[in-house]
Amino acid sequence: MKSKQIRQTFLEFFENKKHQIVPSAPMVIKNDPTLMFTNAGMNQFKEYFLGNSDPKNNRITDSQKCLRVSGKHNDLEEVGVDTYHHTMFEMLGNWSFGDYFKKEAITWAWELLTDVYKIDKDCLYVTIFEGDKSENLDRDTEAYNYWKELIDEDRILNGNKADNFWEMGAQGPCGPCSEIHVDIRNANEKAQVDGASLVNMDHPQVVEIWNLVFMQYNRMADGSLKNLPAQHVDTGMGFERLAMVLQNVQSNYDTDVFTPLIREIETITGHSYGKTEQEDIAIRVIADHVRAVSFSIADGQLPSNNGAGYVIRMILRRAIRYGFTYLNKKEPFIYQLVNTLSKQMGDAFPEIKSQKNLIINVIKEEEASFLRTLENGLALLDSMVVNMKSAGSSILDGKKAFELNDTYGFPKELTRLILSEQGLQMDEDGFAVALKKQQDSSRKASATETTDWTILREDDTQEFIGYDRLTADVRISKYRKVTSKKDGELYQIVFNMTPFYGESGGQTGDKGYLESSSGDTVYIIDTKKENGQTVHLTKNLPNELEGTYKVIVDAHQRARTASNHTATHLLHQALRKVLGTHVEQKGSMVRSASLRFDFSHFSKVTNEELVEIENFVNARIREQLPLEENRNNTYDQAIAEGAIGLFGEKYGDVVRTIKFGKSQELCGGTHVNNTADIWHFKITSESAVASGIRRIEAISSDAVKDFFTEQSKHFDEIKAILKNPTKNLAESIEALQDENASLKKEIEQLLKAKAGNLKGDLMASATVINGVNFIATKTDLDAKSVKELAFDIEREMENLFLIIGAANGDKATLTVILSKNLVKEKSLDAGKIVRELGKHIQGGGGGQSHFATAGGKNAAGIDAALVAAREMV
């Protein structure tokens, strides 16, 4: 059975069981502060499990894109080494939100696997939760009783808490689970070792394919368990592993999920899969990682140096490194695999097809950049090896190896390999110590403690009223304390209703305050969205928690933010009008002070185009276009009406559309009532973010007034400096630049002449010491002139040891040049010499063996350095 059919069969099976098929959520999570990526099928449904909102349908099924690069069996450095773990994978799932429970979940799972997919029952094992005395949890006999009606009892195995009790996190919904494992070994292997003994033992042919989670508890902050008000089912089946079983192969990478990519890698690299272990690992790594990186980019996450972008960059760099080291690929090539991936998965996941060109451009640029990093790292490592050997050491210091990895991005595995090829070693313990020190520091900085929610009102369902009002009389539904090193102690408060907009969709959250009738005031410093509810952050709680409060949004900040958000929509329209309809939004940040907009475009936006874009937006502002808002549209209807849906966003059944003239987008943010409220729009910068991605930063409203006021002030200051010139200010500055260039040229000519005159005097002053022509002098020439002078003398004198000290105020430089025959015959090294002499000027330096320089802050030490140089000879 082909993988496409396997996926479709699963979805249709549960559709026939009255489940609604929903599309995969984006793999990159935007509005959940607790997660960077979707790492399980249930992530997009967390709000239902937590009871923060109610689903439209109590039965749901889908195939969810997931990304895991940490946790049980999913260490990034292990992916590709075995044949059944991955970074990006598909999770086939079915869910019940307070509807069916264990009986139906178990019965249907067995029906699908054995009757529909025709998996041999004698290949299957199931596990149930054995109980845990420390938690006062009994054995899951309910699940056991359902299973024994379907499978022999000797194939029902007890599982401990680590394997058979699933938890969302340190706190939250949890419960026992039943795992289904499959044994795909041959008959001889099964006869020798019982499959039951290999379950959950990391055997590559005895693997878990499906986990049925029965959520019935809530884990509290103190570790205790409470019953949930409703029982839920959350199942997840590994699509790639299921394909391995149904296609009768021994590795996920031998299924048609991966073989098209592997064949393409073979074609591009000239290496065959199945020949050597290291090459096979490299090919598996690349085939796995190109999927993870491509889907992340398609969902809106570009590689970067922090957060989720850092994870994506590390995954891609690992693939590049394996290609570089084991497949001898020194030029970008992974980007070429995107076409194959798009053809293979574009029908199931249209985003991979629509974003194909962007993915190709971004990966190609990242490859080229990292290959340059590898080249620089090789040069640094070569230098370290030379120093090691000269010092008689065969072990590279762990701190230096870590610096090479952490600062320069050079992989430790490549460092280890290159050292081993030269009979050298890396200090593994030292590297581990340096790494742990960094990790501990990072962990302490990000550590957060969260208490349980204190529930004041169980039946309050939060309502957002912020589109229409900035004040409201509210009650507190629940609150909790959150403590972190970065922010200290903060409180999260949820009201029964709120006019505060929680950060989402690129728009920052509202600020404001709440006050009681007695005058008690608490400032709301930020507002977030978390698991379907709006959370207000404060530094303290009100004195009375049971009362009614008036909450007030900071109207000025809201107005500035709304102005920038509407300006962002108009900017999007302008870009598509001026640059072309290929422009798509690739990210945005809307704050009260400014806006940032990332978009797809193949080249730098010219100054003329920027002026045209600016003029277009300001023309819409002058047209005084009113806001046309529809809060109850369906997604399909909104798209049919011409609204633009943004990439990487997950939309519900009901959407909100925002329209100003011909600009129409799906948007949940806050906006002005009329474009005239924006007053004016000004672009402040345009730059590149990645290959094919540009960024415009801009301001609107009173920020533009401040901008022009500041510019006018600078203009007046420049005029005053230039003595209020009568001619054009630009012409006056240009005349000054021309005069400055002319004077610089004259100075260079004078210095060159001075150096020429000095050359003869220095050569005549040479003293022969032990067969070496030694010259030492002090000068006030600039660095360029000193270097040219040194090389001129070196070309005309043999056996030369020349040192020149130059002073510029308190700063000093030393320049040493040696004839190359002295370097070879007398084992002299200018780099070592200048580092030693640099101590006299309180500085340091280095360079090549025949030419080196040092800089320092003690010009008075130059004379001592010259004397010390003579003593060296």
Side-chain angles (χ1 to χ4, degrees):
M1 186 181 288
K2 298 292 185 184
S3 57
K4 290 182 180 179
Q5 186 182 354
I6 293 171
R7 185 190 296 112
Q8 193 58 36
T9 297
F10 180 92
L11 297 175
E12 290 175 355
F13 176 85
F14 282 103
E15 186 178 37
N16 291 331
K17 303 293 185 186
K18 296 184 171 54
H19 288 64
Q20 178 188 3
I21 300 175
V22 299
S24 170
M27 196 162 68
V28 180
I29 295 178
K30 292 184 172 62
N31 297 323
D32 186 342
T34 65
L35 285 173
M36 287 184 183
F37 301 100
T38 297
N39 62 6
M42 55 72 60
N43 288 158
Q44 64 170 309
F45 308 121
K46 281 173 67 175
E47 61 191 90
Y48 304 147
F49 294 124
L50 291 166
N52 295 334
S53 58
D54 298 320
K56 293 285 190 299
N57 194 313
N58 287 332
R59 298 183 181 187
I60 284 175
T61 185
D62 73 356
S63 181
Q64 174 64 50
K65 301 172 295 185
C66 298
L67 182 68
R68 289 184 186 172
V69 291
S70 63
K72 179 186 173 184
H73 301 316
N74 290 289
D75 189 316
L76 175 61
E77 292 304 319
E78 296 301 318
V79 173
V81 176
D82 66 27
T83 60
Y84 58 100
H85 286 113
H86 305 286
T87 50
M88 181 260 179
F89 61 96
E90 286 184 61
M91 185 74 84
L92 301 170
N94 59 288
W95 288 269
S96 166
F97 306 113
D99 188 358
Y100 63 83
F101 201 45
K102 295 180 184 180
K103 180 179 181 179
E104 293 85 351
I106 290 171
T107 303
W108 291 340
W110 190 253
E111 178 187 351
L112 177 60
L113 292 177
T114 60
D115 294 347
V116 179
Y117 286 135
K118 305 297 183 184
I119 297 176
D120 187 350
K121 298 178 182 180
D122 292 336
C123 294
L124 296 173
Y125 295 88
V126 299
T127 61
I128 63 158
F129 179 49
E130 66 183 7
D132 189 287
K133 290 183 179 179
S134 66
E135 298 262 22
N136 291 319
L137 292 171
D138 296 329
R139 182 171 182 256
D140 192 356
T141 54
E142 182 183 5
Y144 178 84
N145 290 332
Y146 291 133
W147 277 120
K148 73 179 184 179
E149 295 176 9
L150 303 169
I151 189 173
D152 293 341
E153 291 184 50
D154 61 354
R155 291 180 172 272
I156 307 174
L157 311 175
N158 286 331
N160 59 27
K161 182 181 171 185
D163 289 324
N164 281 85
F165 194 87
W166 191 93
E167 306 203 41
M168 184 184 293
Q171 295 168 239
C174 55
C177 62
S178 277
E179 298 175 339
I180 304 174
H181 297 254
V182 62
D183 183 354
I184 58 174
R185 295 174 300 152
N186 61 42
N188 288 334
E189 291 171 320
K190 290 179 181 178
Q192 293 174 15
V193 180
D194 181 23
S197 67
L198 300 176
V199 168
N200 277 329
M201 298 302 292
D202 288 337
H203 193 285
Q205 276 80 49
V206 183
V207 295
E208 174 197 342
I209 57 170
W210 206 348
N211 191 12
L212 315 179
V213 179
F214 311 120
M215 291 196 187
Q216 56 193 95
Y217 303 108
N218 192 20
R219 175 75 69 184
M220 311 308 289
D222 63 2
S224 63
L225 294 171
K226 290 186 177 180
N227 289 323
L228 288 171
Q231 296 176 326
H232 311 291
V233 170
D234 160 25
T235 85
M237 177 150 58
F239 171 68
E240 294 80 8
R241 294 185 184 184
L242 179 62
M244 175 180 68
V245 175
L246 297 182
Q247 293 178 11
N248 196 29
V249 293
Q250 296 294 301
S251 160
N252 290 3
Y253 293 93
D254 291 334
T255 68
D256 69 342
V257 177
F258 288 97
T259 51
L261 289 170
I262 290 174
R263 298 292 88 82
E264 189 65 17
I265 295 170
E266 290 179 313
T267 300
I268 294 171
T269 65
H271 291 261
S272 297
Y273 187 63
K275 291 291 182 67
T276 71
E277 182 181 3
Q278 283 295 352
E279 289 182 6
D280 286 357
I281 291 174
I283 290 171
R284 287 198 293 267
V285 165
I286 294 164
D288 174 276
H289 290 8
V290 71
R291 285 162 33 101
V293 173
S294 296
F295 274 98
S296 295
I297 295 170
D299 282 345
Q301 183 56 65
L302 299 175
S304 67
N305 286 329
N306 49 63
Y310 177 76
V311 175
I312 300 307
R313 176 164 282 166
M314 289 303 99
I315 292 174
L316 179 54
R317 287 186 169 187
R318 182 171 185 251
I320 298 167
R321 187 249 300 173
Y322 267 92
F324 180 91
T325 306
Y326 300 109
L327 303 181
N328 199 35
K329 293 303 294 181
K330 313 303 183 188
E331 300 292 333
F333 76 99
I334 295 174
Y335 73 93
Q336 298 177 50
L337 302 173
V338 177
N339 279 317
T340 300
L341 182 63
S342 176
K343 291 175 185 176
Q344 182 187 2
M345 302 190 72
D347 291 338
F349 302 100
E351 63 273 17
I352 206 74
K353 191 178 290 184
S354 65
Q355 301 296 324
K356 184 179 72 173
N357 290 336
L358 171 66
I359 297 166
I360 289 172
N361 288 335
V362 170
I363 292 179
K364 186 176 182 180
E365 183 178 272
E366 282 288 316
E367 285 189 87
S369 173
F370 187 52
L371 287 168
R372 289 192 295 271
T373 296
L374 288 177
E375 186 177 339
N376 294 335
L378 286 170
L380 286 167
L381 183 56
D382 285 343
S383 175
M384 291 179 183
V385 168
V386 169
N387 292 333
M388 282 170 56
K389 289 181 176 179
S390 64
S393 173
S394 63
I395 301 177
L396 177 64
D397 181 78
K399 288 182 180 179
K400 290 184 177 179
F402 180 74
E403 181 184 0
L404 196 61
N405 174 257
D406 187 53
T407 305
Y408 301 101
F410 198 76
K412 69 173 182 179
E413 293 79 10
L414 194 52
T415 299
R416 186 186 297 121
L417 178 66
I418 291 170
L419 290 173
S420 66
E421 289 172 349
Q422 301 184 54
L424 305 172
Q425 293 178 298
M426 184 179 84
D427 173 15
E428 301 281 355
D429 291 340
F431 187 99
V433 169
L435 175 62
K436 188 175 187 303
K437 183 178 179 181
Q438 185 204 58
Q439 289 174 335
D440 289 345
S441 176
S442 176
R443 193 176 293 113
K444 287 178 182 177
S446 60
T448 300
E449 292 182 11
T450 305
T451 65
D452 291 324
W453 287 106
T454 298
I455 310 294
L456 300 182
R457 291 172 178 80
E458 290 278 4
D459 58 344
D460 280 346
T461 300
Q462 190 183 62
E463 178 186 2
F464 175 65
I465 58 173
Y467 295 138
D468 305 307
R469 299 167 58 186
L470 295 182
T471 64
D473 293 325
V474 304
R475 296 174 300 171
I476 297 175
S477 299
K478 58 183 180 180
Y479 67 90
R480 67 181 178 185
K481 184 167 71 174
V482 178
T483 306
S484 67
K485 185 173 182 180
K486 178 184 175 183
D487 299 318
E489 283 190 2
L490 293 177
Y491 290 90
Q492 295 180 341
I493 303 176
V494 176
F495 303 125
N496 63 318
M497 68 175 70
T498 181
F500 283 74
Y501 181 85
E503 179 179 336
S504 60
Q507 179 177 326
T508 55
D510 283 332
K511 296 177 175 62
Y513 61 97
L514 66 86
E515 61 182 16
S516 67
S517 57
S518 63
D520 182 21
T521 300
V522 173
Y523 291 96
I524 296 172
I525 60 176
D526 202 357
T527 311
K528 305 281 188 181
K529 281 186 180 175
E530 184 175 330
N531 298 321
Q533 63 186 0
T534 301
V535 178
H536 310 77
L537 277 69
T538 67
K539 290 188 176 181
N540 55 287
L541 291 172
N543 293 327
E544 297 292 333
L545 296 171
E546 296 290 343
T548 298
Y549 298 89
K550 179 178 287 295
V551 291
I552 300 98
V553 175
D554 185 326
H556 180 62
Q557 293 293 89
R558 166 68 81 85
R560 285 163 57 99
T561 303
S563 173
N564 283 329
H565 203 150
T566 301
T568 301
H569 283 215
L570 299 180
L571 172 61
H572 192 187
Q573 181 189 11
L575 290 167
R576 290 172 64 85
K577 175 73 173 177
V578 175
L579 303 180
T581 54
H582 65 279
V583 167
E584 291 184 359
Q585 179 175 336
K586 296 300 175 187
S588 69
M589 173 61 74
V590 177
R591 296 170 288 190
S592 62
S594 61
L595 66 93
R596 186 184 75 206
F597 190 81
D598 298 342
F599 58 97
S600 56
H601 187 54
F602 45 80
S603 63
K604 178 177 174 59
V605 184
T606 67
N607 289 334
E608 292 77 15
E609 288 169 333
L610 288 174
V611 170
E612 189 175 352
I613 291 165
E614 219 174 61
N615 289 340
F616 181 94
V617 173
N618 285 313
R620 305 290 79 75
I621 293 171
R622 289 193 298 273
E623 286 176 8
Q624 301 182 24
L625 301 172
L627 166 64
E628 298 177 54
E629 177 190 24
N630 186 339
R631 300 181 191 173
N632 296 295
N633 215 343
T634 66
Y635 176 83
D636 292 338
Q637 182 62 32
I639 297 299
E641 291 171 355
I644 296 177
L646 304 183
F647 81 111
E649 291 288 346
K650 179 171 176 59
Y651 296 102
D653 298 326
V654 177
V655 296
R656 176 172 177 254
T657 56
I658 295 296
K659 186 177 181 182
F660 290 96
K662 294 182 179 180
S663 167
Q664 186 174 3
E665 297 189 17
L666 304 181
C667 182
T670 61
H671 289 271
V672 298
N673 291 319
N674 190 292
T675 59
D677 298 336
I678 301 173
W679 186 75
H680 198 75
F681 171 81
K682 175 66 182 169
I683 294 174
T684 55
S685 71
E686 190 274 345
S687 60
V689 177
S691 180
I693 304 290
R694 308 297 300 181
R695 170 173 292 173
I696 282 179
E697 297 186 63
I699 52 178
S700 70
S701 188
D702 53 0
V704 179
K705 297 177 184 177
D706 296 339
F707 174 83
F708 284 132
T709 299
E710 191 69 15
Q711 291 297 305
S712 178
K713 177 183 174 184
H714 291 327
F715 183 82
D716 290 339
E717 289 172 349
I718 293 169
K719 283 180 67 178
I721 291 171
L722 296 175
K723 311 299 183 185
N724 293 308
T726 55
K727 59 181 177 179
N728 182 281
L729 188 59
E731 290 178 359
S732 298
I733 294 173
E734 188 175 355
L736 276 177
Q737 288 177 324
D738 291 341
E739 183 181 352
N740 187 49
S742 177
L743 291 171
K744 277 186 175 181
K745 192 171 182 180
E746 287 183 25
I747 292 171
E748 286 178 3
Q749 290 171 345
L750 289 170
L751 288 172
K752 192 170 184 180
K754 183 177 180 180
N757 294 332
L758 184 59
K759 173 183 170 184
D761 295 340
L762 288 178
M763 291 179 68
S765 71
T767 303
V768 179
I769 305 174
N770 295 328
V772 175
N773 289 314
F774 177 75
I775 301 174
T777 190
K778 186 176 178 181
T779 183
D780 59 357
L781 289 174
D782 66 306
K784 181 182 177 185
S785 300
V786 168
K787 183 178 180 179
E788 290 176 352
L789 174 61
F791 275 97
D792 281 348
I793 295 175
E794 188 265 340
R795 277 190 288 269
E796 297 187 24
M797 289 192 75
E798 295 182 350
N799 301 320
L800 175 67
F801 185 132
L802 168 64
I803 177 169
I804 301 175
N808 181 7
D810 292 332
K811 294 182 180 179
T813 59
L814 297 175
T815 300
V816 173
I817 192 164
L818 306 174
S819 294
K820 292 182 179 177
N821 67 299
L822 290 183
V823 173
K824 186 176 181 181
E825 296 167 8
K826 293 185 177 291
S827 298
L828 294 176
D829 187 319
K832 291 182 179 179
I833 291 171
V834 86
R835 277 194 291 273
E836 184 63 29
L837 297 176
K839 296 175 182 178
H840 293 282
I841 59 171
Q842 297 178 20
Q848 299 172 304
S849 57
H850 77 287
F851 178 79
T853 60
K857 56 185 179 181
N858 179 29
I862 291 178
D863 292 332
L866 299 183
V867 171
R870 175 181 288 272
E871 292 173 356
M872 286 182 173
V873 180

